[in-house]
Amino acid sequence: MYITPIQKLNEELNNNNFYIKRDDLLPVSFGGNKVRKAILFFEDIKKKKNDCVVTYGSSSSNHCRVIANLAVSMGLPCFIISPEENRKNTSNSNLVKLLGAKVIYCHLTDVNSTIHKKIEELKGEGYKPYFIPGGGHGNLGTLAYVEAYREIVEYEKKTGIHFDFIFHTSGTGTTQAGLICGQIIDGDNRVIVGISNARKNPYGGEVVLNSVNEFLLSIDKREITADFINFIDDYVIDGYGSYNDEIILTIKEVLFRDGIPLDKTYTGKGYWGMREYIKKNNIRGKNILFIH
């Protein structure tokens, strides 16, 4: 796995020190947390000698772009089940088509049955399909951010800087679950805050909790309660893919000030939510890490 850098930001808010972990620099398909997760899934594909990939995601999905890219690089057919309700033309959907993935649209209520049908159809054609849950959900996706947490701890040991808060955008929940599991394994008491870009509580927080406990049980650790989960849904706006003028302004400020690009659906929304959360909770004089 590639180790991504951490750099100091020029953000000035409540006398806090801001840093950013540049997972956007992972050198596959424009980077991002979906790359960190997908690498582990494709290592598993190689190990199990599967010969095609099935996954799920919307037209805006970074996950689908990354899976399609890694699949074509390995010469594997890729099939993406996508909800008709979110069908639109995006940069990611254009890239998915360019990369040769086959997109199968269906109604949201038919997603599970369509996935099952496609997998059985591929088996009937002699393929050995590998299913990757949407967003890289599951223990492998969680493990990817347990490893990222270890990278953060190593950075702290080398620099003497301890992060009091770790913020990130929380979607399907495995990024947050991995960070929390890493924290539990390490025994640190810092605060990990997931800024939801779509889901609302209680469901969003429950999904993160379930992912945490599934992983902890797999390594013979004790389960935790919902008190450990900081899943913040105050900044969802109108749901997945929605944004406002403040998010656009935040994206411009970070780009102009630090030369780091954010996006409207994920990182820009999460970064804006982090700033609003810090102001709302009057967090001052802390070392804060944002995961890109």
Side-chain angles (χ1 to χ4, degrees):
M1 177 62 74
Y2 306 97
I3 296 175
T4 56
I6 292 174
Q7 67 186 76
K8 197 170 190 304
L9 294 172
N10 293 308
E11 177 73 55
E12 295 181 359
L13 178 61
N14 289 2
N15 201 34
N16 294 299
N17 298 306
F18 288 86
Y19 298 79
I20 188 166
K21 183 164 177 61
R22 298 294 305 275
D23 269 17
D24 60 311
L25 297 181
L26 285 164
V28 177
S29 197
F30 304 103
N33 65 339
K34 301 303 188 293
V35 170
R36 189 180 281 274
K37 298 173 187 179
I39 288 172
L40 295 187
F41 281 105
F42 277 85
E43 286 176 357
D44 198 40
I45 288 170
K46 286 182 181 179
K47 179 181 176 182
K48 294 177 178 176
K49 298 183 178 179
N50 296 88
D51 54 11
C52 68
V53 181
V54 179
T55 193
Y56 161 77
S58 75
S59 300
S60 301
S61 172
N62 288 337
H63 165 78
C64 291
R65 181 198 72 233
V66 171
I67 298 303
N69 208 158
L70 283 171
V72 74
S73 73
M74 291 174 60
L76 300 176
C78 180
F79 302 88
I80 297 171
I81 314 302
S82 191
E84 184 71 45
E85 289 85 344
N86 299 121
R87 185 173 184 172
K88 55 185 175 181
N89 192 46
T90 68
S91 56
N92 276 342
S93 68
N94 288 333
L95 281 167
V96 164
K97 292 175 185 175
L98 178 67
L99 292 163
K102 172 66 175 175
V103 181
I104 302 163
Y105 291 100
C106 65
H107 290 297
L108 191 58
T109 53
D110 297 328
V111 165
N112 287 336
S113 61
T114 304
I115 290 170
H116 178 76
K117 180 181 177 182
K118 189 61 189 178
I119 289 172
E120 292 305 309
E121 178 185 306
L122 289 166
K123 288 179 180 177
E125 294 172 1
Y127 285 101
K128 187 181 178 183
Y130 187 102
F131 177 65
I132 302 176
H137 200 68
N139 278 352
L140 278 179
T142 301
L143 176 61
Y145 273 85
V146 172
E147 294 178 350
Y149 188 90
R150 290 172 184 152
E151 291 178 20
I152 294 166
V153 171
E154 285 303 310
Y155 175 88
E156 291 176 319
K157 289 177 180 177
K158 289 177 181 177
T159 62
I161 298 168
H162 179 268
F163 297 114
D164 304 292
F165 289 82
I166 297 177
F167 285 86
H168 64 97
T169 309
S170 196
T172 54
T174 44
T175 297
Q176 186 167 5
L179 293 170
I180 293 168
C181 289
Q183 179 184 29
I184 291 168
I185 293 166
D186 188 64
D188 198 284
N189 63 352
R190 74 179 92 239
V191 182
I192 296 172
V193 183
I195 303 294
S196 175
N197 72 336
R199 292 174 174 171
K200 300 287 285 185
N201 282 314
Y203 176 68
E206 288 170 355
V207 171
V208 176
L209 178 62
N210 291 339
S211 293
V212 169
N213 285 332
E214 181 183 354
F215 185 85
L216 292 177
L217 288 172
S218 75
I219 59 170
D220 298 320
K221 293 281 186 180
R222 190 177 355 181
E223 292 181 293
I224 64 168
T225 64
D227 297 337
F228 284 79
I229 309 298
N230 293 301
F231 182 86
I232 308 302
D233 66 358
D234 296 351
Y235 312 107
V236 167
I237 312 176
D238 294 323
Y240 182 80
S242 63
Y243 58 92
N244 58 23
D245 290 342
E246 292 176 70
I247 291 173
I248 299 300
L249 180 59
T250 298
I251 292 170
K252 288 180 179 179
E253 288 176 348
V254 175
L255 183 62
F256 292 177
R257 188 181 59 227
D258 291 293
I260 299 172
L262 304 175
D263 73 281
K264 296 178 291 188
T265 302
Y266 300 99
T267 51
K269 197 172 192 176
Y271 195 99
W272 166 70
M274 172 186 73
R275 292 171 67 176
E276 294 302 305
Y277 181 92
I278 288 168
K279 288 186 281 188
K280 180 179 178 180
N281 292 278
N282 197 28
I283 297 169
R284 296 180 176 273
K286 303 296 184 182
N287 290 327
I288 294 170
L289 178 66
F290 180 79
I291 298 182
H292 194 313

